[in-house]
């Protein structure tokens, strides 16, 4: 058995899912869960995560001068490597157990974490499928998307196209104006229902499959939309042969030392939950 990384005790407490919630996720490819992290936990971790995001922010142009992807958010990955506090948050057993139970697997590893901070005036996040970037030979992938600040209705949260997680690849377009147009037309033509969960409280979370099509509106307010995400996949997954430059890049960045056909279990992919029952 691979080494299991333990988080701090405050984030190891159980979060109970009902059979109905698991079934809903598996049917729709997304779910909204209340109070996945407490107000006290968010108060502890938000300032630390925010500080690292600002330190590592690579944007050097105003929002108005960036391309569509650059306007969408400040995007910082693998914060768990930067500090012990970020590590405790990203590798939290509570979050990982939810991911495993929703997917119906016995163990999960981290693909990577990612802070997604949408600046005041930040643009929309185009329709896309996350897994076009991931060289993982499985459909058992899931992302936790957790606001670190309250998100009011006017800022908006993600919109999901229910059932699209069962399609796999639809096209290989990376996040762009083109992906937004193409997938929006596809969703409308195939009549997939779309769901937006509206305002969210800090510590609430959505979970969505790697193949679920989703988008998010821009930020018209004067406040930063601060979100932390963690991507999980089933333990035992193997590395897929990269079939695009995006997947080649991800293989180098997030699956260090792994080759196609290997177990996806590099040093950046700790095992964070195992069902021992």
């Amino acid at each position: 058995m691979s080494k299991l990384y333990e988080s701090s005790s405050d984030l190891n407490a159980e979060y109970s899912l009902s059979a109905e919630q698991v079934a809903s996720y598996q049917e729709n490819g997304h779910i909204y869960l209340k109070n996945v992290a407490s107000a006290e936990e968010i108060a502890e971790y938000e300032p630390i995560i925010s500080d690292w995001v600002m330190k590592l922010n690579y944007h050097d142009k105003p929002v108005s001068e960036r391309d569509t992807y650059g306007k969408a958010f400040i995007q910082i990955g693998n914060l768990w490597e930067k500090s012990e506090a970020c590590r405790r948050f990203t590798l939290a057993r509570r979050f990982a157990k939810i991911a495993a139970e929703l997917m119906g697997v016995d163990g999960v590893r981290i693909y990577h974490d990612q802070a997604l901070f949408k600046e005041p005036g930040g643009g929309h996040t185009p329709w896309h499928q996350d897994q076009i970037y991931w060289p993982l030979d499985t459909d058992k992938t899931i992302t936790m998307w957790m606001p670190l600040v309250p998100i009011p209705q006017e800022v908006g949260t993600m919109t999901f196209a229910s059932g699209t997680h069962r399609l796999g690849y639809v096209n290989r377009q990376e996040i762009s104006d083109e992906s937004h147009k193409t997938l929006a037309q596809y969703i409308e033509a195939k009549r997939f229902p779309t769901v937006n969960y509206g305002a969210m409280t800090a510590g609430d979370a959505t979970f969505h499959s790697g193949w679920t099509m989703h988008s998010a509106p821009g930020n018209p307010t004067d406040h930063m939309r601060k979100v932390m995400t963690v991507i999980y996949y089933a333990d035992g997954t193997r590395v897929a042969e990269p079939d695009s430059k995006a997947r080649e890049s991800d293989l180098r960045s997030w699956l260090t030392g792994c080759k196609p056909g290997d177990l996806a279990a590099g040093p950046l992919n700790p095992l964070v939950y195992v069902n021992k029952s």
Side-chain angles (χ1 to χ4, degrees), residues 16-204:
S16 296
L17 292 173
S18 68
E20 290 76 17
Q21 286 173 317
V22 174
S24 176
Y25 170 80
Q26 294 184 357
E27 172 68 21
N28 295 309
H30 57 86
I31 195 169
Y32 171 40
L33 301 175
K34 295 285 291 179
N35 301 317
V36 174
S38 69
E40 293 76 18
E41 289 162 346
I42 292 296
E44 177 183 351
Y45 289 101
E46 180 275 319
I48 298 167
I49 292 171
S50 294
D51 184 54
W52 277 104
V53 170
M54 293 303 105
K55 283 180 183 176
L56 299 172
N57 178 18
Y58 53 87
H59 286 303
D60 58 1
K61 295 179 181 178
V63 171
S64 61
E65 296 179 16
R66 302 177 203 159
D67 62 14
T68 297
Y69 193 92
K71 290 176 181 176
F73 32 59
I74 300 170
Q75 182 180 32
I76 306 295
N78 266 21
L79 285 175
W80 72 271
E81 294 186 285
K82 305 302 181 184
S83 79
E84 183 57 33
C86 292
R87 180 187 182 90
R88 288 197 302 269
F89 188 91
T90 295
L91 305 187
R93 183 180 184 275
R94 183 193 307 159
F95 306 155
K97 182 173 183 286
I98 293 171
E101 290 181 347
L102 289 174
M103 291 192 292
V105 301
D106 287 332
V108 292
R109 291 181 178 274
I110 295 289
Y111 187 53
H112 60 82
D113 68 24
Q114 208 165 49
L116 300 175
F117 281 30
K118 195 178 289 284
E119 297 157 279
H124 73 123
T125 306
W127 282 106
H128 65 283
Q129 294 176 293
D130 294 335
Q131 203 160 329
I132 67 161
Y133 293 94
W134 307 342
L136 295 171
D137 189 15
T138 183
D139 62 356
K140 300 296 186 184
T141 62
I142 193 170
T143 297
M144 180 185 78
W145 191 94
M146 179 181 287
L148 302 177
V149 294
I151 301 183
Q153 186 74 41
E154 61 267 30
V155 176
T157 52
M158 288 193 292
T159 297
F160 301 99
S162 298
T164 53
H165 63 303
R166 290 188 287 270
L167 301 174
Y169 257 131
V170 172
N171 68 58
R172 289 176 168 80
Q173 289 178 335
E174 297 179 33
I175 300 174
S176 62
D177 293 330
E178 290 73 26
S179 76
H180 189 72
K181 180 179 178 181
T182 300
L183 294 183
Q185 291 174 341
Y186 183 89
I187 290 163
E188 182 177 3
K190 298 294 185 180
R191 298 184 178 179
F192 285 104
T194 58
V195 175
N196 185 288
Y197 294 110
M200 291 176 67
T201 299
D204 293 350

